[in-house]
Amino acid sequence: MAQRILALAAEEAPERLQEALQSLGEGELGDMVTRQALKGRETAALLRGIFKGSPCSQRSGVLRRLQVYKHCVPLVESGDLHLGKVSEIIGLLMLEARQLPGHALAELATLFVDVIKGGSLSNGKSLELFSTVLTALASSKESLAYGKGELNGEEFKKQLINTLCSSKYVPLCRLHHALVRLKISQDIPLSAEELQFVVEKVLRMFSKLDLQEIPPLVYQLLLLSAKGSKKTVLEGIIVFFNQLDKRQKEEQRVPQSVDLEVATTPLDQLRHVEGTVILHIVSVINLDQDLGEELIRHLKTEQQKDPGKALCPFSVALLLSVAVKHRLQEQIFDFLKTSITRSCKDLQFLQASKFLQDLFPQQYDVTTVILEVVKNSAFGWDHVTQGLVDLGFSLMESYEPKKPFGGKAADTTYGLSKMPAQQACRLGASILLETFKVHEPIRSDILEQVLNRVLTKAASPVSHFIDLLSNIVVSAPLVLQTSSSKVTETFDNLSFLPIDTVQGLLRAVQPLLKVSMSVRDSLILVLQKAIFSRQLDARKAAVAGFLLLLRNFKILGSLSSSQCSQVIGATQVQADVHACYNSAANEAFCLEILGSLRRCLSQQADVRLMLYEGFYDVLRRNSQLASSIMETLLSQIKQYYLPQPDLLPPLKLEGCIMAQGDQIFLQEPLAHLLCCIQHCLAWYKSTVHLCQGAEDDEEEEDVGFEQNFEEMLESVTRRMIKSELEDFELDKSADFSLSSGVGVKNNIYAIQVMGICEVLIEYNFNIGNFSKNKFEDVLGLFTCYNKLSEILKEKAGKNKSTLGNKTARSFLSMGFVSTLLTALFRDNAQGHEESLAVLRSSTEFLRYAVSVALQKVQQLEETGQTDGPDGQNPEKMFQNLCKITRVLLWRYTSIPTVVEESGKKKGKSISLLCLEGLLRIFNTVQQLYAARIPQFLQALDITDGDAEETDINVTEKAAFQIRQFQRSLVNQFSSAEDDFNSKETQSLITVLSTLSKLLDPASQQFLQFLTWTVKICKENALEDIACCKGLLSLLFSLHVLYKSPVSLLRELAQDIHACLGDIDQDIEVESRSHFAIVNAKTAAPTVCLLVLGQADKVLEEVDWLIKKLTSLGSDTSEDSSQASNQTQALEKGVILQLGTLLTVYHELVQTALPAGSCVDTLLRSLSKTYAILTSLIKHYIQACRSTSNTIPGRLEKLVKLSGSHLTPQCYSFITYVQNIHSESLSFVEEKKKKKKKEDEAAAVSTVMAKVLRETKPIPNLIFAIEQYEKFLIHLSKKSKVNLMQYMKLSTSRDFRINASMLDSALQEHNTEDAENEPDNEQSSTAEQPDENQEPKKKRQRKK
């Protein structure tokens, strides 16, 4: 039959063809098509013949066509046909579909929907046909039956899509049908609403699909987004994966709560799926740039509302992957950097205020999110790594430490990084370090970039890059071996780098020198060249490098040291390397380096100084070099030592200086040389000497130089005590000015002599073993030191020179200072009593010991290290700090200043120095040793200072220390007026403020301390301005961590008002003294400015909250009920804060404040208040637009309060301000008459300038009030509530009539009339012109 139809179709005989087709039954037609298709012969020709004999003009023809379509769809989907055959059939059916009438198309489309819903589509090949059917249907104009009614083609199509998207499918077909929808949607022209409907439906299905099925679906969705709904697609994908991440995190945190029924996806599977999805999005963005722009736009908008939802690990990873495309990189990095700094600022803001913490219990931190991305990227996210590296470097460069103009860079290595910029820089370093650990392929790239920046940024601070380099090397030392060429290239530039950079760089790469012979050899070559360089910095770099090598290449037999070089991990130990670097080779190598360094002893003082400061560390780590180093030092000191026993002075000081033209320079830092000898000798005697009993020959040789040094130091000590200042060419009459050559020489001599005395004090104390004679020598040396010190202070005082006022750095070591203080103040051993009495008898010596401790702590606080041995060892510094603190604390609390000051002659009392030292120590510990605060507080507890506790309660220990200082402060307040020490009180308040930071704000101890501070402020009528300022600042800093300080501010404002009186002199203010600290001396400007400063902080918080409110208000997400609850809580908080603040300003604007800073600050603060009130009103206008909510009653009360208690008083206050300024001008006018003409103009212009400056804020305030009222009118219209009923009519600022002045002027006028009454004629004639000329008078007033 098939052949017959083909023949008839070819003969162009339509009638016979129709007859032949009509003779076939429905089943026969289908079987014929199937057989022909399976044979693969002329299927298309057969179908064309059938269509030719089934014209659409006849009903039978349409039905036959439908039969063919209905039969072909399952045939195509069956999978029995060859793909080429399928495409051929579908192509033909698509061509013919457009000829079908509307009702046939509708029937065919409905059939397709049923097939899809039934899930019988196996390969989806027929979907292209469905798209064509729907497109043809949409353009059909005829009415089609649908249910009980009729629809046109377009409406029918919409209904079908709706039916398709609303259907529920069997689980196996979910993904298939979702893809079906998308394929259909891509091919069919959809309206925006239809597209949105389809997209939302597919996104809702995500949660029901298997994780592996999601990436292809996402890809189809992204392709579909080219038609529109980009934001919905991106938002849906980000929200879905964010929820999955959160769920995963929850389960990791609480594994026992996981239901067996809700089994979660394995972590690695989730990460791999996320990675694939990110790749899909990036590939589509490469094709469609608008999608990338939409992504950034969406995240920026979302970040304003909810940063946690916008920047989650998935979205950050996505952004970083997209950032690899340079067109969007700048936008993305700017957005991420802004988000990071904003997040840091917000966290800082929240941590500083209990009021905000209560409103925002969950704090979002973007830094943890970004570090989580680094961790996630370990699951094969190679496309994210480049973005992470670029972001890390971008952060480090954008927020690097800044170098002040002409000064040294502020180093952020020491102390906590509290500023948002510092935190961002630290985050950049953390990103790079963690990425370096996780991703091996990118390691060499990171290392190269870090080294490049260390070299190229030599002029700006690079400490943050060096710290990163050091951490990188520690985390993976052998990586440097593969990049050793880059490191050796860096070494070639060492001589051009600043010395600090060189030292940091060499310390960082030091582990590599132990495992790479080539790197070590190249470094030695560079250093040997640098030693002979013309540049001083290059020679210093060479010395620094050689000292580092000596410290780290140990010779066999050297004693082990707790401070040996950085430990090299087991991964680095390689047999072949150590075969090359044995101890014998090390010895030859070290002796060669020492030979090079000996040449440096003839160079400038700076180079020698580095050597003297470095030798002790070399000796301690490489003890086999002891004899070489000691011999070198001995030959050096012999150049300046005079051996004759009776010759004074014992050292040739003239050999230490060098003249160049008119200028004098220090050539040999003799005191440093002696200091180095003293420390090396002490170490040698205590350590090496004990371990060398077996080696007799060496011992004899070594004893030689040891004995030499001891005799020399003994002789120098004896002769230094005998020497007078004249022996050093120094006395009271000598010139010490730094402008002349003689003065410079004398200064150098004085500092050298003082240094030598200090070195000998330490030496004699250490070897004295509490002998009385030795301690007398110590005192003798101190007398020499003290005489010179007093002369220098006296001369510096006369010269008023900034250089002269700087005290020379002490040569005593930190360890010795702690030992000395403990002996002087805390040693109760009976055997030591007599000898220590010698030192204790000198108050000057005791004061000197404490002041040196103070200087050492200050140096530690500023630079993170101190001079002398172990100065760079944080552990030893911490132990010394604890010992010093214990002594100072005991000394201060045991002997009050009052007792001590009775016998005091001059200078600060020891107790006061102890207090200053304690203040510095508490600051230093919080900056440098934040992690070790528990151990520090434990060490201070004298009762169980040695006890080891695993769990130390910091709050309890800090509270105990606070109580000691509270007692001292109470004693100060209760002392007689003559005994009150302002300086000590200020220091005590600052100490309390510093220690209060260690208390947990939620603890009972914190509340007790706050209550005590409030009590002190209420009961003490303190008149000292500085102490009052310190105490109130402490009160505010504590109060904000407990609750909002607005009620406290109101009480203080009432006290200020009562104290200073009202602007209307006739009103007597009710005296309600809450705080005795507010009195006539402190009320203005001190307390007033502090109150206004704190009020401004509250206003900042409120402003921040209103911004959050606005962003929450624009959020139309599904969690609207939760958002509205939060919005209500925020609105309530804002209105309550503003309401109480208005009462604070209500008191202050009625106060007769003196002209000056108080008035100026108050006017500015009021402008800010009105601006924030306006922001709040704008928020409610927006809320009224978006919803039909009425405004809350509490807002109405706030507006009423502002209208009754603030605005009228503001206008009165402005009048008051203008009056006091006009009085000051008239006062100047009076004085002008008495003064000479030359002074007149200057005086007037000065006062005029001052008045103009102080009245400048007035127009701004009036504008702010008027803006507030303008938006109130808008809100009244929107909310249908008349809020303006509470606002009084504003005073006109252009033209004012002062009623009281007018009355007095009229009374004067009437009295004049009464006097002239007898002369009626004259008075009557006078009246006429008076009436006629009144306008003239006005004109005269204007002139």
Side-chain angles (χ1 to χ4, degrees), residues 76 82-92 94 125 128:
V76 166
H82 189 270
L83 281 179
K85 190 60 68 182
V86 168
S87 301
E88 192 180 15
I89 292 170
I90 291 294
L92 184 61
M94 283 166 69
K125 295 290 179 187
E128 294 173 44

Side-chain angles (χ1 to χ4, degrees), residues 94-356:
M94 283 166 69
L95 271 174
E96 295 292 334
R98 296 192 178 276
Q99 294 179 26
L100 289 170
H103 66 88
L105 288 167
E107 192 179 336
L108 195 53
T110 312
L111 169 78
F112 261 107
V113 170
D114 292 338
V115 169
I116 292 168
K117 284 166 74 173
S120 55
L121 285 179
S122 59
N123 58 22
K125 295 290 179 187
S126 59
L127 287 177
E128 294 173 44
L129 175 58
F130 183 34
S131 305
T132 311
V133 169
L134 281 179
T135 311
L137 185 62
S139 57
S140 172
K141 302 295 180 206
E142 64 182 276
S143 296
L144 307 167
Y146 184 82
K148 292 179 181 177
E150 288 188 339
L151 299 172
N152 65 20
E154 180 65 31
E155 291 296 326
F156 197 93
K157 182 200 77 171
K158 282 185 182 175
Q159 288 298 335
L160 283 175
I161 288 173
N162 189 31
T163 311
L164 191 63
C165 289
S166 306
S167 56
K168 289 188 171 67
Y169 305 130
V170 284
L172 290 171
C173 305
R174 278 185 191 144
L175 174 65
H176 181 70
H177 291 303
L179 288 169
V180 162
R181 280 183 200 151
L182 291 174
K183 283 178 181 171
I184 294 163
S185 306
Q186 283 171 37
D187 296 335
I188 305 164
L190 297 175
S191 66
E193 294 81 17
E194 289 170 340
L195 186 62
Q196 185 79 1
F197 180 69
V198 172
V199 166
E200 284 174 1
K201 178 65 184 174
V202 174
L203 286 170
R204 278 199 297 276
M205 284 182 60
F206 274 15
S207 54
K208 297 169 188 170
L209 292 169
D210 286 338
L211 206 55
Q212 297 294 352
E213 296 173 335
I214 287 174
L217 188 53
V218 166
Y219 188 68
Q220 295 296 337
L221 260 180
L222 291 166
L223 292 177
L224 180 61
S225 70
K227 292 185 171 188
S229 295
K230 288 184 171 66
K231 180 175 172 292
T232 313
V233 171
L234 290 168
E235 186 178 11
I237 296 167
I238 290 169
V239 168
F240 174 70
F241 283 108
N242 190 15
Q243 285 169 349
L244 280 183
D245 280 343
K246 279 182 182 171
R247 202 181 306 151
Q248 190 83 33
K249 221 180 289 178
E250 277 300 316
E251 280 157 15
Q252 284 175 352
R253 198 180 299 132
V254 198
Q256 64 271 22
S257 70
V258 180
D259 272 336
L260 291 173
E261 295 168 21
V262 192
T264 48
T265 8
L267 181 65
D268 57 342
Q269 191 186 343
L270 173 62
R271 295 287 172 254
H272 286 126
V273 167
E274 285 179 338
T276 311
V277 168
I278 289 171
L279 274 175
H280 282 330
I281 298 174
V282 173
S283 64
V284 175
I285 286 175
N286 290 343
L287 302 170
D288 180 7
Q289 294 285 358
D290 292 344
L291 189 63
E293 301 280 359
E294 185 58 55
L295 174 68
I296 297 168
R297 213 167 20 247
H298 163 64
L299 289 177
K300 278 182 180 174
T301 314
E302 200 64 43
Q303 203 237 2
Q304 296 293 331
K305 301 176 196 170
D306 182 2
K309 202 188 285 182
L311 288 178
C312 56
F314 179 79
S315 61
V316 171
L318 175 57
L319 280 174
L320 291 172
S321 302
V322 174
V324 177
K325 291 290 157 196
H326 293 291
R327 203 175 81 81
L328 297 171
Q329 188 177 42
E330 196 176 332
Q331 282 184 61
I332 289 172
F333 281 178
D334 284 349
F335 168 60
L336 284 173
K337 285 191 286 191
T338 311
S339 303
I340 288 163
T341 46
R342 186 180 294 162
S343 167
C344 295
K345 281 176 189 168
D346 284 358
L347 275 174
Q348 206 176 22
F349 213 52
L350 284 164
Q351 284 160 5
S353 166
K354 184 72 169 69
F355 166 67
L356 291 179

Side-chain angles (χ1 to χ4, degrees), residues 31 122 225 405 516 616 851 1117 1169 1243 1287 1305:
D31 291 343
S122 59
S225 70
F405 181 72
S516 173
Y616 174 80
S851 58
S1117 61
T1169 307
M1287 309 305 290

Side-chain angles (χ1 to χ4, degrees), residues 897-910:
T897 322
V898 183
V899 176
E900 190 186 330
E901 283 188 339
S902 54
K904 190 188 76 162
K905 292 176 186 174
K906 57 181 177 175
K908 286 181 183 173
S909 69
I910 295 172

Side-chain angles (χ1 to χ4, degrees), residues 436-491:
F436 184 90
K437 288 177 183 175
V438 171
H439 296 280
E440 209 166 315
I442 209 161
R443 283 177 177 179
S444 57
D445 182 38
I446 293 175
L447 181 66
E448 189 172 335
Q449 287 201 52
V450 171
L451 287 170
N452 283 342
R453 280 164 173 80
V454 170
L455 291 179
T456 54
K457 289 178 168 283
S460 57
V462 289
S463 56
H464 53 309
F465 284 115
I466 286 175
D467 290 342
L468 173 60
L469 180 64
S470 181
N471 291 332
I472 281 173
V473 175
V474 170
S475 70
L478 283 177
V479 167
L480 279 168
Q481 267 195 299
T482 56
S483 304
S484 57
S485 58
K486 187 64 199 169
V487 178
T488 51
E489 194 183 312
T490 310
F491 287 160

Side-chain angles (χ1 to χ4, degrees), residues 1118-1137:
E1118 291 168 15
D1119 309 330
S1120 53
S1121 60
Q1122 187 186 343
S1124 68
N1125 290 341
Q1126 193 181 2
T1127 304
Q1128 283 174 8
L1130 292 182
E1131 285 175 351
K1132 184 181 176 184
V1134 165
I1135 291 170
L1136 288 175
Q1137 290 288 88

